[in-house]
């Protein structure tokens, strides 16, 4: 199992968090702690770049769904960007894409996060 690594880029109005590695039961807590510690404010818009994530297990998906719910409750948003095709397929199979906003690129996700009134969910 590869260790998770993170990088955060702060942009006006949104933070982009890049995640690399396998997000599974052993590392989901690490992802959750990083996301909580990285949030500047409860209403912040977050984009999670999944282009270097090789695996997203059910525990990792639960972290993303909980982060999405927290952001929405506080007026923010969570958007996922550039998932590997295997991750995108898993999101379709579990119907997570009907709840989570998934975009083909980080740029698309950032632009969507900054658009007022943008729908909360995009299709994979």
């Amino acid at each position: 199992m590869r260790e998770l690594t993170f990088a955060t880029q702060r942009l006006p109005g949104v933070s982009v968090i890049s995640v690399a590695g396998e997000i599974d039961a052993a590392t989901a807590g690490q992802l959750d702690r990083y996301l909580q510690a990285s949030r500047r404010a409860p209403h912040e818009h977050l984009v999670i770049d999944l282009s270097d994530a090789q695996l997203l297990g059910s525990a990792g998906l639960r972290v993303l769904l909980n982060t999405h719910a927290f952001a929405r409750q506080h007026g923010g948003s969570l958007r996922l960007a550039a998932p590997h095709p295997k991750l995108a397929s898993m999101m379709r199979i579990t119907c997570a894409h009907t709840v989570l906003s998934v975009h083909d690129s980080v740029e698309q996700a950032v632009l969507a996060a900054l658009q007022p009134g943008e729908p909360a969910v995009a299709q994979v």
Side-chain angles (χ1 to χ4, degrees):
M1 175 181 64
R2 235 179 82 177
E3 183 179 321
L4 282 184
T5 58
F6 306 98
T8 300
Q9 181 181 13
R10 306 282 188 194
L11 303 172
V14 64
S15 287
V16 177
I17 299 172
S18 300
V19 180
E22 297 181 353
I23 309 166
D24 58 15
T27 60
Q30 184 182 358
L31 173 63
D32 189 40
R33 287 186 297 277
Y34 189 87
L35 293 176
Q36 289 181 31
S38 296
R39 190 178 286 120
R40 290 182 285 195
H43 60 276
E44 181 177 32
H45 299 292
L46 297 176
V47 170
I48 300 179
D49 177 1
L50 294 173
S51 60
D52 290 327
Q54 291 85 32
L55 173 79
L56 178 63
S58 60
L61 183 57
R62 184 174 46 253
V63 169
L64 296 177
L65 290 167
N66 288 341
T67 302
H68 166 74
F70 180 87
R72 294 228 17 208
Q73 287 174 337
H74 293 89
S77 67
L78 171 70
R79 295 176 187 276
L80 306 179
H84 184 278
K86 289 194 308 190
L87 273 65
S89 175
M90 187 276 301
M91 286 184 223
R92 282 191 302 276
I93 290 168
T94 62
C95 293
H97 72 288
T98 64
V99 176
L100 297 171
S101 181
V102 184
H103 301 270
D104 290 335
S105 70
V106 171
E107 294 79 16
Q108 289 174 351
V110 168
L111 289 173
L114 296 175
Q115 293 297 315
E118 181 69 20
V121 177
Q123 296 300 318
V124 182

